[in-house]
Every structure is written in structure tokens, then in C-alpha cells.
Amino acid sequence: MSLNQHYDLAIIGAGPAGMAAAVEASKNNLKVLVLDDQPAVGGQVYRQIDKNYHNSDELSYLGEDYWLGKKLVDNFWHSSAELLSESRVWQITRDKLIFFSQKGLAHQVQADFILISTGAMERPMPIPGWTLPGVMSVGGAQTLLKSNNSGVDGAVFAGSGPLFYLTIWQYLIAGLKIVAVVDTAPARLSLHHYLRAIPALLQLNLLLKGLRWKSYIRKNTKYFSQVRKVSISGQFAAESLSFIDRYGESKKLFASHIFLHQGVVPNVNLTMATGLKHYWCPRQLCWHPETNIYGESSLKGVFVAGDGSGIAGVGAAILSGKTAAKRIFQYSRRPPIFSIFLSKFKRYRHAAARPFLDNLFRPPKDWRVPFDDETIVCRCEALKKADISLAISLGVAGPNQLKSFCRAGMGRCQGRMCGLTIQQMIADHNNLLEKDIGYFRLRPPIRPLTVGELASMADENVPAK
Amino acid sequence: MSLQSNKILIIGGGIQGCATAYFLAKRGQNVTLIEKDRIGRHASGVNAGGVRRLGRDVLEIPLSLAAMDIWQNLYQEIGEYAKDFHPCFYLKVAVDEAGREIGLMRAEDLSRAGFTHEVWVEDDHIQARLPHLSTPTHGGLLVEGDGWATPWRIVQGFANVAKKHGAKIIEDCRVTSLTKFQDFWQIQTAKGLFEAESVVNCAGAWAAGIARLADDHIFPLEAYAPMLVVTDKRPKILPAVMGVVAHTLSLKQLETGQFVIGGGVRSKASPSINQSDVLLPKLSSSMKLASKLFSEIGNAQVVRCWSGIEGYMPDNLPIIGRGRQNGLFHGFGFSAHGFQLGPGVGEALADLVMGQQPRISLEAFRPDRFVN
Ligand SMILES: Cc1cc2nc3c(=O)[nH]c(=O)nc-3n(C[C@H](O)[C@H](O)[C@H](O)COP(=O)(O)OP(=O)(O)OC[C@H]3O[C@@H](n4cnc5c(N)ncnc54)[C@H](O)[C@@H]3O)c2cc1C
């Protein structure tokens, strides 16, 4: 591998946004490098699609939307973009040096432009017992299907959101048994909500698909809706899940596998650690990097595309990747006015259903902040809600100060598991808005990096400055 | 806004400011400490926590020893918080013959100057005390009783006892101007106007700016951001704090089993916007050395990297003493080794402010030593 090279464009993340950008940029003869921490391209949505394609008859349960990704992946392979897989990017500097490790060694490359397309992550659902063995995220459950071509029989699914229904549907079509589906979405009866459904009709296909999944699930599983107070118990591992159903009755289900989901949020660890500006999105209850219509961030030459810049789904991700690549190619020129309108319109069209869906699946506070004092919030440091409340009551004004008081967020997950919960708790205690509380100050390495890997750079040329 | 009158006003809520506030308050002085952010938010709360006399500039040793007297009886000063200081031993090993030469020379210099705390030991001694060491050494320098502390807790400790003795501590309050009227100072801040007979400048990397506001000396103080990393939890193998002769490495293992690795390597700091960078690859040689000493460390995962804003003087010695202006005192410029000195500096500054003779000479730290 001849690294230490210079690229026109380096793309972090080979999901739909990253691949689309790579294809578009290579078409325009840019020298492109794509880095991804997985062994195969595809990101979350198209995970392992190349391998699975040979088996597509047997794996038809993954659904037609999944197989659509094959075309994009093929285009990517036909492009001149270079791919470095199993490469974990752990730092990007303001002068656009990219540091990453691969197979035990650390390297650096430099690029004129950087596109960060590191996608989304699932919002943690900190309910009692969520840290017990046997409890997993729904995304993890779906990964089992895509990577191992096997799921788990006899699980309970608890949560809500598009990925929640899709995965359950895939499990059912794959012939796996499901003990029950516990839907945590509250009833949305306001007019205000249904007004949002009007623009969503632009993505009618998407809505109909969702309705189809849902009715299939209702028919084929034991389905509970509008539940409250979900908790998991078990001595050493998950044994059962309890909740209160919509009629106010307590229910208990036995299962050793429980899959949780409360939607996805942009994975902002890299964009934040790189120093890009972010803003709080109250509709999606998470941070978004600030970008213009082309995806350009507050740091010149650094772009963000795909779900990492705000949750909008795969169609919008592909479009945003392409748009960023085009803009990078014509960077020296001013974009013609109509192209701005066109981009805006296309973007709107590809995410028209978002406001409606965001509202429909907006997780109520009970699923974002534990309703029970004994529930773990910070997994790395094993801190319960009560521990964190106590520290906050000592006069903590923000997440960073909280670190000194109780070490919350200082572990290896770097706040991915507890950040949003802690932010909400501090906001509640001080009667402030979440946006005014801010988030953990994130610092590299934002990906696992060993001392040995870092030591391997000692013999390379380390940038002066 | 009403004018708040004080006898002594301290600027900066780091270890120097808080320790000074404590010693003054304990002696019954009316003292107020003003911090622009939060107590311990900067260098004093985020440093490596190295409490070492080892390797100090000979000119700094008396102050370091005086400080150590306080560290050794810390419980009497700050109570419960003292349990966050962990005395052990500090060892700086030579990894080659060149290092051995330098180390032996250092040991000789020290004994000639009459210091006995830091001594040379041979490899067999080192191997016996550090059975997990992965490499033979060429001997090393040793100080018994040096150790490490959780810095933020210690600063909190001093701030708390200062308050208990009646000191006022005001956070989120930036000093924006300092004006001398006959024999008192008027201090403009984000939270109103203050008046004081004496002002103590413990503003860390920002202290030259404070001196400028007061029309005092121009100080050649520069700001940088020393960096540290902490790893995941590992089996306990290192009961000492370690360094390597002629290299910038400091290495220790916390009670949790996490390693803290750093020492001297620094990145860019922008004090005006409270920002300090980290550039991990700059630490690669330190990482290489650490994993050479203990191969197990090579497998440890870097969990976090951080840095803090520190003020450096050209001669790497602090500024401690009276300013050009009457009633102005300075204590800053600790050049990345001021945490251990903190309690000693606090005591000495309290003496100075109260017109008493400090128990050690501060000659080497004279504020006017860069005035030509
Ligand atoms: C990463 C790192 C590792 C280190 N490791 C060690 C070690 O192992 N051992 C050791 O002995 N030393 C170490 N040091 C050095 C040590 O931390 C510092 O020398 C020491 O903490 C300095 O204390 P201070 O009180 O002068 O500064 P600070 O802690 O910086 O305090 C100064 C305070 O003044 C405040 N201030 C500034 N301007 C104003 C204003 N206008 N109005 C109000 N307030 C103001 C600031 O906000 C700040 O809180 C390390 C430093 C760093 C950064």
C-alpha cells in the first residue's frame, strides 16, 4: 500500500452516500480514496450485499429495497475510486490530514476535500435491564440476517420506528419465530400531526410500504401497541420483559432475546471531533452538523452527506453524496442559481415524508431518559440514573463538567450510549432547552485505536506543527 | 452594580489560585478568588497529576521539596480530598548507554548540591521492583514517595477548604480590567466592579494578559497544550510513575487499571477562545517507548486523548513574586510542571502578600528577570 499519498477527495464511510459520491467524483476524474471500517462495502443498509447476492433466492426476505443496492455497489466497483476497507479513521485535522489504522498499523493520508459519510447510529433505549446479556438493538438483529444469514428465534421486539418494522417483517418472512412485538409509539391523534402527512404523500411508496409491513406484523405476531413502562428483568441475562399495555394492564413476556429500538440519530462523533459546527434538531431530537445545501460544513473543504448529516433515508443519502461530489468537482466555479433550486427541490422530494415520520416515531421522554432511578445510563462507568442525577444536582451546567464530577461519558464508547440522555437530564434539572446544554466535547481517537498502532507511526513522518 | 470591597483578590481558580486562597483564608485574611470559567477547568484540573520532585531543575528543587512537605500531610490541609493523592515511587529509567551517562551525571550534580531525595539505582533494583518490565534498563533515577493525584479533586479540595475558612469564590467571572488608584486596585469583571488592596495573578496561560491590564511587566509567556491519553482497563502491572531519561514520557497506571501516557508532547493552544488541540500522532514516540517498557501496553486501547492550556516561560521556570506595581503579585508560567508545586506556591504567595518572608528563596522566579 503506497499511502502518504495525496487525494483530491477522501470519503469516510462506504455506505450509499459515500459510494454515490465516489462514483460521481471518479466520473469527473477526481482521484478518490474511500475508507471504511467494515470488511465489505455497503454501510448499514447494503451490508454484505456482494456476498449475499450470490444467494439472493434464499435470502429474498431481505426485501427488494436491499437488492436495489447492488447496482450502486457495482457502479462503485467499476469506478476508479480506491477503497481501503477495515480502516478505522480516528482523527481528521483542520488541515485535512486523515489518520486511520488498518490491520494493526496506523497511517495518514491527505486530501483537498473530505466527505464524511459515516451514517447513523441507533438511539440507545435506556430502560431497566437494557444492559443485560441477551438484550440487543434491532439494528444488531438485522445485521445478523445480513452478515450471518441467520436471525434469532423466539425474540421479543420492543420499540418503534421504520427500521423496527422493517426488521420484524424481515424476521417473519425469513420464517423466524417472534414471541411478541411491543410497540412503544404513543398514539398521535393531533391534527397538527396529520397535516404533516400531506407533503409526505410525495413519498407515497414509502408510506404504503410502511403500512404494509405494519399490517403484516399485526396479523402475524402477538402485537401490543401504545405500551408504557417497559422493563427487562433477569438474574444474569434477560429472562422476561414487562410493560403496561394500552388498557393499563400489566403484562409479562418470557424471552431470552430482546431487541430494542428507538430510531436512529446521526453518528456525530467524527464530525464533532473534527471541529465542525453542529446544531440541535428539535424535530429529530439530536445534533446535526451544520451544512449548506451541497453538504459543505463549517470547515472549508469538508463535506457531510447521508444520514450523518441528518436522518433522511437511503434515497436522500445517495442524492446528497452525488450532490457533494458534483459541488466538489465544480468547486472553483460558482454554482448556477437554478442548480441551487434544483438541489433544494430534489432534496425535499427525497425526504418529504421525514417530518411526518419523525413526528410519528418521535421517542417520548420515557424511552430517552430512564423512568427508574436504578437504571444504568453510562454503561462504560456503570453509572445509574441516580448517580448522574446526584452529580447534576451539585450544580453541573453541562455534560463536560459532569465528567469531572462522576466520570459519565469518559469510557470507551465516548458518550455514544449516554450522551443524549445526559444532555436531556441536565436540561430538565436546570429547566433549560437541550440545545442550550450542549454535548460532550469529543476528541480523537473516535474509533478504537491501540497504543501499539499509534506507536507504529513513530517511524513514519509525523507532520510538524 | 455595587462595588465589592476586599482586602485580597486572586485571579484564577487553578491549583495556584486555590492554594493561595486557602493559605490566606486559613490565616484569617479577607480574600476573594475570581475565575473566568469553573474551578479547575484548565491546566490544574486536566493535567497528568504527576506529583514529582524527580527531574526538577536544581533551582526549583527547594520549592518542590517545600511543596512536598504539604503533600505529605495533605489530609491535615484538605481533609477527605487528600485520599486522591497516591504516593508511590517515581522512576526515570535509562534505555541506553547515553541515557545512563546523563542520568549518572544528574545524580552526581544533585548529591554535590546536597540533595538526597533523588538517587541512582541499578537495573537489578529496578527489575526487582517492576517485575512486569519487558526490557532490561541501564539503571535509572528514583524518588521514593513521589506519586500521582487526581488533579481535579485536589483543586476542588483546596477550593473547598478555602471556602470553609471564609474565602469567597466566584466562578464564570472574567476580569476585564485592572486599575490602580493610589493604594487600592479597581477590578472590572463580568460580575461587577471589585476593589482590593492586593491582587494575586494566578491566571495560568492568561497571566501575561492580566499583567498587561495592570500595566505591569511584559512577560514572554507562551501558551501550548500538552497532551495525554488514557487507555482502557488492564491488569495491574505498574506500581510506580515512570519516565525515560532524555525522553518526554510519563507513564502511570490508575487504580482502575487504566494507563495514562503523556509527558511534554504538546499541541496548539488558543487561550483566547479556551481551545486546545490534540494531534494524536505526535504522541507516537511516547507510545512506542511505553510499549517497549511494558509490551502489554501495546495492546491497550486508547480511550481518550485530551490536552490543557498551559503557560510556558523561556527558561521553563515559573514567575513567582511581587510585580512592578505595588500590591500586585504573580504566580504563573509553570511550564507544564506546576501541579506538584501548587501547595508550595500557595504558601509562599500567602507569605508575600502578608508581607512575611517565605520559607524558601524565590530569587530564581523573580518576575523582573526578563526585563532588560
Ligand atoms: C496535559 C497537562 C499535563 C500536566 N502534567 C503535570 C504533571 O504531571 N505534574 C505537574 O506538576 N504539572 C503538570 N502540568 C502542569 C500543571 O497542570 C500546571 O502547571 C498548573 O496546573 C498551573 O496551575 P495554574 O493555577 O497556574 O493554571 P490554571 O489551572 O490554568 O489556572 C488559571 C486559571 O485562571 C483563569 N483565568 C485566566 N484569565 C482570567 C481572567 N481574566 N479572569 C478570571 N480568571 C481567569 C483560567 O480560567 C484558569 O482557570 C500539566 C499540564 C497539562 C496541561
Side-chain angles (χ1 to χ4, degrees):
Chain A
M1 190 169 27
S2 56
L3 285 169
N4 261 334
Q5 275 192 41
H6 194 101
Y7 292 85
D8 295 323
L9 170 62
I11 298 173
I12 326 294
M19 285 192 294
V23 170
E24 187 67 32
S26 320
K27 255 193 232 159
N28 291 306
N29 290 323
L30 296 189
K31 190 166 148 101
V32 180
L33 173 70
V34 179
L35 296 148
D36 193 284
D37 61 358
Q38 293 295 316
V41 298
Q44 294 291 353
V45 221
Y46 303 140
R47 187 181 287 273
Q48 289 293 356
I49 193 165
D50 275 323
K51 191 186 98 205
N52 289 339
Y53 199 72
H54 302 296
N55 228 349
S56 55
D57 288 341
E58 236 169 85
L59 302 176
S60 61
Y61 56 76
L62 290 174
E64 58 194 42
D65 288 343
Y66 176 74
W67 303 114
L68 281 178
K70 181 67 171 125
K71 201 171 137 227
L72 177 59
V73 173
D74 284 343
N75 286 342
F76 176 69
W77 290 129
H78 288 134
S79 77
S80 61
E82 280 172 59
L83 171 74
L84 284 176
S85 55
E86 292 176 85
S87 300
R88 301 187 305 263
V89 174
W90 41 261
Q91 175 162 19
I92 296 177
T93 67
R94 274 183 273 254
D95 27 11
K96 295 197 261 319
L97 282 170
I98 299 166
F99 298 103
F100 64 96
S101 39
Q102 191 199 38
K103 303 197 169 84
L105 297 176
H107 307 280
Q108 74 175 69
V109 290
Q110 191 161 26
D112 290 337
F113 293 93
I114 294 177
L115 175 71
I116 301 179
S117 44
T118 45
M121 60 174 208
E122 285 177 274
R123 179 193 293 282
M125 184 174 167
I127 55 170
W130 70 300
T131 55
L132 285 169
V135 183
M136 220 166 81
S137 73
V138 164
Q142 195 196 41
T143 299
L144 288 180
L145 287 186
K146 290 177 182 171
S147 300
N148 305 355
N149 303 149
S150 68
V152 176
D153 247 336
V156 171
F157 283 74
S160 80
L163 183 66
F164 182 71
Y165 299 122
L166 168 60
T167 306
I168 298 170
W169 180 80
Q170 288 171 329
Y171 264 60
L172 289 172
I173 303 290
L176 293 159
K177 280 193 214 65
I178 291 177
V179 170
V181 173
V182 175
D183 195 328
T184 59
R188 304 279 185 201
L189 296 171
S190 68
L191 174 68
H192 176 237
H193 173 64
Y194 286 97
L195 283 178
R196 286 172 207 251
I198 297 168
L201 294 175
L202 273 173
Q203 289 190 289
L204 192 59
N205 258 343
L206 192 81
L207 298 182
L208 290 177
K209 210 169 350 184
L211 287 173
R212 227 171 33 238
W213 291 336
K214 201 163 164 183
S215 78
Y216 189 84
I217 291 166
R218 275 172 175 277
K219 246 184 259 149
N220 293 286
T221 64
K222 214 158 143 193
Y223 177 85
F224 300 90
S225 64
Q226 293 169 43
V227 306
R228 289 175 302 122
K229 304 272 176 223
V230 181
S231 63
I232 301 165
S233 41
Q235 201 175 5
F236 304 110
E239 290 165 13
S240 66
L241 178 125
S242 313
F243 58 90
I244 298 174
D245 74 7
R246 61 188 300 188
Y247 310 106
E249 243 173 78
S250 298
K251 289 265 151 72
K252 187 168 190 166
L253 303 165
F254 291 89
S256 51
H257 291 279
I258 291 160
F259 299 138
L260 302 178
H261 187 72
Q262 282 304 328
V264 295
V265 296
N267 187 351
V268 290
N269 283 50
L270 184 56
T271 50
M272 278 195 175
T274 306
L276 310 187
K277 284 201 184 116
H278 288 67
Y279 68 95
W280 178 254
C281 172
R283 179 157 60 86
Q284 297 192 338
L285 293 168
C286 56
W287 295 94
H288 289 182
E290 266 179 42
T291 63
N292 64 14
I293 187 73
Y294 305 106
E296 185 162 22
S297 74
S298 60
L299 186 60
K300 201 167 160 35
V302 176
F303 287 68
V304 192
D307 273 358
S309 61
I311 305 305
V314 64
I318 293 175
L319 178 74
S320 69
K322 259 193 209 161
T323 310
K326 275 196 188 127
R327 179 68 189 121
I328 288 166
F329 169 63
Q330 348 157 303
Y331 201 75
S332 46
R333 288 182 254 150
R334 236 183 90 172
I337 285 291
F338 68 84
S339 101
I340 298 180
F341 286 125
L342 196 65
S343 299
K344 275 195 179 157
F345 173 71
K346 278 197 196 157
R347 174 134 123 182
Y348 179 73
R349 168 101 184 60
H350 274 88
R354 266 306 129 180
F356 174 68
L357 294 177
D358 286 341
N359 201 45
L360 189 61
F361 299 118
R362 187 183 158 93
K365 204 179 280 169
D366 261 6
W367 312 128
R368 290 180 288 124
V369 175
F371 49 81
D372 170 54
D373 269 352
E374 291 302 299
T375 302
I376 298 266
V377 169
C378 169
R379 299 179 74 136
C380 302
E381 300 290 332
L383 295 168
K384 296 177 181 146
K385 181 188 177 191
D387 302 326
I388 289 171
S389 302
L390 178 72
I392 291 174
S393 70
L394 295 175
V396 165
N400 295 307
Q401 212 194 345
L402 186 70
K403 288 187 192 168
S404 327
F405 278 85
C406 68
R407 304 191 54 80
M410 290 176 89
R412 54 197 298 170
C413 90
Q414 300 196 322
R416 285 178 178 87
M417 287 291 146
C418 62
L420 292 171
T421 303
I422 282 173
Q423 185 186 340
Q424 179 76 58
M425 287 176 68
I426 299 177
D428 290 348
H429 180 85
N430 295 307
N431 255 324
L432 289 169
L433 294 173
E434 281 163 293
K435 73 173 167 54
D436 299 324
I437 298 302
Y439 196 70
F440 286 125
R441 184 169 45 246
L442 293 173
R443 294 221 136 146
I446 61 104
R447 278 304 209 189
L449 166 72
T450 65
V451 170
E453 284 169 345
L454 192 47
S456 77
M457 293 195 97
D459 312 316
E460 281 186 31
N461 288 334
V462 171
K465 241 204 310 192
Chain B
M1 220 171 280
S2 70
L3 189 77
Q4 305 179 47
S5 225
N6 302 271
K7 186 135 182 275
I8 305 160
L9 187 130
I10 299 172
I11 305 174
I15 181 112
Q16 321 299 348
C18 292
T20 308
Y22 163 63
F23 284 106
L24 284 166
K26 188 173 131 184
R27 300 178 195 172
Q29 301 295 307
N30 166 331
V31 47
T32 297
L33 184 150
I34 289 185
E35 163 57 49
K36 71 175 165 55
D37 299 307
R38 293 290 175 117
I39 294 298
R41 154 83 168 76
H42 292 287
S44 300
V46 303
N47 64 61
V51 179
R52 66 170 170 86
R53 290 159 287 180
L54 186 141
R56 298 253 166 205
D57 190 316
V58 175
L59 294 172
E60 209 177 64
I61 291 178
L63 177 60
S64 179
L65 296 180
M68 206 61 199
D69 290 344
I70 303 171
W71 281 100
Q72 276 160 356
N73 297 301
L74 201 57
Y75 192 87
Q76 287 164 28
E77 311 289 357
I78 65 173
E80 275 301 293
Y81 289 90
K83 69 174 192 294
D84 289 292
F85 168 46
H86 308 268
C88 46
F89 59 101
Y90 208 117
L91 194 58
K92 198 165 189 176
V93 298
V95 291
D96 48 27
E97 269 311 300
R100 181 182 173 86
E101 296 274 293
I102 297 172
L104 281 169
M105 242 153 64
R106 159 90 180 166
E108 219 177 280
D109 287 350
L110 287 176
S111 93
R112 205 175 306 123
F115 295 118
T116 54
H117 61 288
E118 181 174 334
V119 294
W120 181 260
V121 290
E122 293 297 344
D123 187 49
D124 49 351
H125 178 102
I126 294 169
Q127 298 296 339
R129 293 185 80 175
L130 297 174
H132 293 279
L133 208 58
S134 315
T135 171
T137 70
H138 294 247
L141 292 156
L142 168 82
V143 179
E144 301 286 357
D146 276 1
W148 58 275
T150 311
W152 190 80
R153 294 275 305 163
I154 301 295
V155 184
Q156 284 301 309
F158 275 107
N160 254 6
V161 285
K163 269 193 265 186
K164 272 209 189 108
H165 283 94
K168 235 190 284 159
I169 294 187
I170 306 173
E171 295 176 293
D172 296 314
C173 179
R174 181 193 290 270
V175 170
T176 51
S177 84
L178 274 167
T179 324
K180 183 93 205 222
F181 287 100
Q182 284 132 21
D183 44 4
F184 65 93
W185 289 95
Q186 219 172 56
I187 304 107
Q188 183 70 54
T189 77
K191 291 189 175 167
L193 200 56
F194 290 77
E195 215 178 64
E197 278 171 34
S198 308
V199 169
V200 189
N201 174 14
C202 291
W206 297 263
I210 297 289
R212 219 173 301 125
L213 291 180
D215 194 22
D216 207 72
H217 299 300
I218 307 286
F219 290 102
L221 181 75
E222 282 190 72
Y224 294 99
M227 292 185 285
L228 291 170
V229 305
V230 61
T231 72
D232 56 354
K233 296 165 187 165
R234 296 272 143 181
K236 290 263 188 73
I237 53 172
L238 177 56
V241 187
M242 278 192 82
V244 172
V245 176
H247 286 277
T248 56
L249 168 74
S250 94
L251 171 65
K252 67 174 78 67
Q253 191 171 24
L254 308 180
E255 297 143 299
T256 53
Q258 296 173 287
F259 291 98
V260 175
I261 313 172
V265 183
R266 57 205 202 185
S267 184
K268 211 179 105 196
S270 319
S272 58
I273 49 170
N274 268 0
Q275 188 174 292
S276 63
D277 286 0
V278 302
L279 188 53
L280 272 163
K282 282 189 152 191
L283 285 165
S284 54
S285 326
S286 309
M287 300 297 148
K288 201 172 159 186
L289 266 181
S291 22
K292 181 175 170 183
L293 294 178
F294 299 95
S295 54
E296 161 69 14
I297 295 180
N299 304 321
Q301 193 180 305
V302 175
V303 185
R304 261 177 314 121
C305 176
W306 73 95
S307 63
I309 305 176
E310 171 73 336
Y312 289 76
M313 293 303 290
D315 56 2
N316 284 315
L317 288 175
I319 295 285
I320 306 170
R322 274 174 225 286
R324 188 166 70 87
Q325 300 274 12
N326 239 340
L328 180 62
F329 301 84
H330 298 295
F332 64 85
F334 289 90
S335 316
H337 42 82
F339 178 61
Q340 187 269 346
L341 300 178
V345 174
E347 194 183 38
L349 279 173
D351 288 336
L352 277 186
V353 175
M354 293 173 66
Q356 296 165 359
Q357 183 68 31
R359 64 171 159 136
I360 48 146
S361 157
L362 298 173
E363 184 57 26
F365 316 125
R366 285 170 54 147
D368 61 2
R369 68 182 189 272
F370 292 100
V371 179
N372 38 27

